[in-house]
Amino acid sequence: MQRERWSSRLGFFLAAVGSAVGLGNMWRFSYLTAENGGGAFVLLYVLFVFLVGLPVLLAELAIGRGTRRSPVGALAELGGSAWPALGGLFVLSGFLILAYYSVIAGWTLRYVFDLATSGLPADAGAYFDGIVDGGRAVGWHLGFMLLTVATVLGGVRRGIERLALVLMPALFVMLAGLAAYAATLDGAAEGYRFYLAPDFAQLGNADVLTAAASQAFFSLSLGMGAMLTYGSYLSDDAPLPRQALSIAGADFGVALVAGLAVFPMIFAFGLSDQIGGSAVGALFVTLPRAFEEMGAVVGTAVGLLFFVALAIAALTSAISLLEVVVATSMDALGWPRRGATLAAGGLIAAVGILPALSVDSLSLMDRLAGELFLVFGGLLLAVFAGWFARSPREAGEREAPGELWRGSWKWLLRLPVPLVLAYVLVRFAQNLF
Ligand code: TRP
């Protein structure tokens, strides 16, 4: 069967940005910024996005486009027998990340539903405690997985690309609206100051550094072959470096704007001491308190807008996680899309019941798969692209121009990127055990 292709450049761009922009940009970025001292974290994050993330993103796209295969096959084609194991790690990461990601996405669906039907909760903390785990969380997680599976069943063009074409512009408008509203609040300035003025003393803080590095990876969807897989559906004439730059820029832009909405709201209502507290739930508890302060009508409207945007962001990311597993089963096992999607989706939904029942296991999975595995995967991928990969053309690939193998990217991928990532990895391992 012929491999599917994106139908347009814009379609690919929005699908890739859809993958990148997710819970990571709004939920994770906000609490990490709060936890790591604000502006300094944001500054380091920008540096990591463009100096470390961008080369790896370009490598993933080039490997995918050059081989037209999903991770396991692509690494085998360009690297020979040892490297497909890395593809296996990618698939495992996708599997584990989606399992807990879908649980968090389920919370957001639940917020949307409850806000629309019964307005703001009286006590945001108690409300969150009530929905975060247990049977209800399982139900909403399964509902979200159903949406994800339904989209991926439609395939690259009719499912993934079409959804992104409709939802991503809507998401941009919603976030811009939220940030504009936040700017009108009394006391917004204090939020901006915390968010944007770096405390230079924090720049050398190793914890802030590693948090910024892992967040750059998670947010750009790197380190597990998602961008590689999306790249495998690109046509030969796609200008990869420019596309990689726009994807990274858009992803950073959305995180920046999300912060411009979140921090003024939180500081304007004097809730700043709460957000850094319990990492996973911070945003889900603190923001509704801010919504409450806005009054019932405005607060409900702003809250709905926020959680609908979050749900959209989550869905367009979740489909990319599932697509890695699905594309691999299709390529490696020869399964049809339908069977592969239902099997992978069903299995991941089942595994996700664990993090839906216990927030502790959710946090653990996030640290393990969402941080450690991604950074490890990205490190190996950089080493692979920098040192070991044959260029697609040498490997018998016909037309692929392979910008990666010409440019200066290779030099970033050879030493600076692996060194930075290895440092981050060591620190992670120290913190984990
Ligand atoms: N980037 C997404 C976010 O910010 C999450 C995501 C989607 C992801 N696909 C990925 C993370 C692949 C790592 C790898 O929420």
Side-chain angles (χ1 to χ4, degrees):
M1 204 178 66
Q2 252 247 285
R3 195 177 190 77
E4 279 201 82
R5 293 282 159 86
W6 304 107
S7 61
S8 70
R9 251 180 220 178
L10 181 68
F12 162 70
F13 172 72
L14 290 177
V17 174
S19 167
V21 170
L23 296 171
N25 298 61
M26 301 168 73
W27 159 77
R28 217 161 185 272
F29 178 72
S30 302
Y31 87 69
L32 285 175
T33 303
E35 235 175 24
N36 289 289
F41 173 83
V42 180
L43 186 64
L44 286 172
Y45 173 70
V46 190
L47 291 178
F48 277 115
V49 164
F50 290 101
L51 292 179
V52 180
L54 189 58
V56 178
L57 172 59
L58 189 59
E60 284 208 20
L61 291 179
I63 292 172
R65 205 264 307 263
T67 59
R68 296 270 149 66
R69 299 212 202 175
S70 42
V72 175
L75 292 169
E77 181 173 327
L78 299 185
S81 56
W83 288 98
L86 176 58
L89 174 73
F90 286 174
V91 174
L92 179 68
S93 308
F95 201 96
L96 291 177
I97 294 175
L98 182 53
Y100 74 82
Y101 198 85
S102 164
V103 174
I104 304 169
W107 302 342
T108 69
L109 289 182
R110 174 76 192 269
Y111 269 81
V112 170
F113 179 80
D114 284 351
L115 275 169
T117 53
S118 45
L120 291 163
D123 177 344
Y127 171 76
F128 183 70
D129 288 342
I131 71 158
V132 66
D133 52 16
R136 294 278 180 70
V138 173
W140 287 92
H141 149 66
L142 295 179
F144 181 81
M145 278 306 296
L146 220 57
L147 292 176
T148 310
V149 166
T151 309
V152 172
L153 271 180
V156 175
R157 274 191 196 189
R158 282 190 312 118
I160 298 173
E161 182 173 346
R162 200 169 57 178
L163 189 83
L165 273 170
V166 177
L167 291 185
M168 292 314 289
L171 171 67
F172 298 150
V173 173
M174 288 180 195
L175 279 179
L178 285 167
Y181 168 74
T184 67
L185 296 170
D186 285 335
E190 210 184 316
Y192 293 136
R193 200 170 313 123
F194 170 78
Y195 179 43
L196 297 174
D199 169 4
F200 287 98
Q202 291 288 320
L203 285 182
N205 183 328
D207 288 329
V208 179
L209 201 90
T210 49
S214 78
Q215 173 61 11
F217 258 64
F218 186 88
S219 184
L220 287 170
S221 300
L222 296 178
M224 54 140 287
M227 290 298 180
L228 192 160
T229 305
Y230 274 18
S232 75
Y233 306 125
L234 274 171
S235 61
D236 293 325
D237 58 356
L240 295 188
R242 219 172 54 218
Q243 283 178 325
L245 189 64
S246 357
I247 294 166
D251 182 54
F252 173 68
V254 170
L256 195 71
V257 173
L260 289 177
V262 167
F263 288 102
M265 288 187 196
I266 286 170
F267 276 78
F269 300 111
L271 299 166
S272 56
D273 54 326
Q274 296 179 15
I275 184 172
S278 78
V280 169
L283 194 70
F284 285 94
V285 177
T286 314
L287 268 183
R289 294 211 172 111
F291 300 151
E292 211 176 298
E293 299 287 336
M294 296 169 192
V297 178
V298 178
T300 306
V302 172
L304 264 176
L305 205 60
F306 184 85
F307 284 110
V308 169
L310 199 57
I312 290 176
L315 182 60
T316 54
S317 296
I319 58 180
S320 75
L321 289 159
L322 183 56
E323 180 64 17
V324 174
V325 184
V326 168
T328 306
S329 331
M330 287 170 67
D331 292 352
L333 308 173
W335 291 5
R337 173 169 288 273
R338 211 181 136 80
T341 310
L342 293 176
L347 214 57
I348 294 171
V351 172
I353 292 177
L354 179 69
L357 291 177
S358 132
V359 192
D360 286 338
S361 68
L362 190 154
S363 305
L364 184 68
M365 285 169 83
D366 184 39
R367 264 188 295 162
L368 202 68
E371 295 187 339
L372 199 64
F373 284 13
L374 289 185
V375 174
F376 186 55
L379 168 65
L380 291 182
L381 193 86
V383 170
F384 175 74
W387 296 95
F388 293 98
R390 281 173 285 169
S391 96
R393 235 179 312 172
E394 284 167 36
E397 261 310 308
R398 32 325 94 174
E399 340 77 327
E403 286 94 342
L404 170 70
W405 284 264
R406 282 204 307 263
S408 52
W409 300 103
K410 192 154 185 172
W411 292 102
L412 276 174
L413 289 170
R414 283 196 157 171
L415 268 187
V417 170
L419 281 179
V420 172
L421 293 179
Y423 172 76
V424 171
L425 203 61
V426 169
R427 292 210 39 105
F428 267 154
Q430 282 170 346
N431 286 344
L432 205 64
F433 302 113

